[in-house]
Amino acid sequence: MKPIALGRKNYLFMGSEGGGKSAAIAYTQIETAKLNGIDPQAWLTWVLAQTADHNINRINELMPWCDAAKAASQSAPPP
């Protein structure tokens, strides 16, 4: 709960409404990666490297839950 309380206090100093919305999106993506058992820094590094030539219609492929599904299927033993 402490990160949530600290974040709530820090949101008062984002500078603008747009900055607050951008920070909320970033925090949400980072926490979603954590919930899916993925290192947020490694995932964000990978996503930023992919965005330059990735099709916007396939944006769901870059989400943390898709990465977790790929990792789980690769580590599963063959049937």
Side-chain angles (χ1 to χ4, degrees), residues 5-76:
L6 287 175
R8 187 176 36 217
K9 182 180 176 188
N10 291 337
Y11 297 148
L12 297 172
F13 305 102
M14 288 295 172
S16 69
E17 184 177 343
K21 287 181 181 181
S22 296
I25 290 169
Y27 293 147
T28 300
Q29 292 294 326
I30 290 168
E31 290 301 317
T32 301
K34 288 180 185 178
L35 287 173
N36 283 284
I38 298 170
D39 175 32
Q41 184 176 3
W43 174 74
L44 283 171
T45 302
W46 177 78
V47 167
L48 291 174
Q50 301 299 312
T51 56
D53 56 343
H54 195 79
N55 187 343
I56 189 71
N57 296 327
R58 296 183 356 216
I59 197 76
N60 195 44
E61 295 172 3
L62 300 176
M63 295 296 140
W65 52 85
C66 292
D67 194 47
K70 286 181 212 170
S73 67
Q74 290 173 354
S75 64

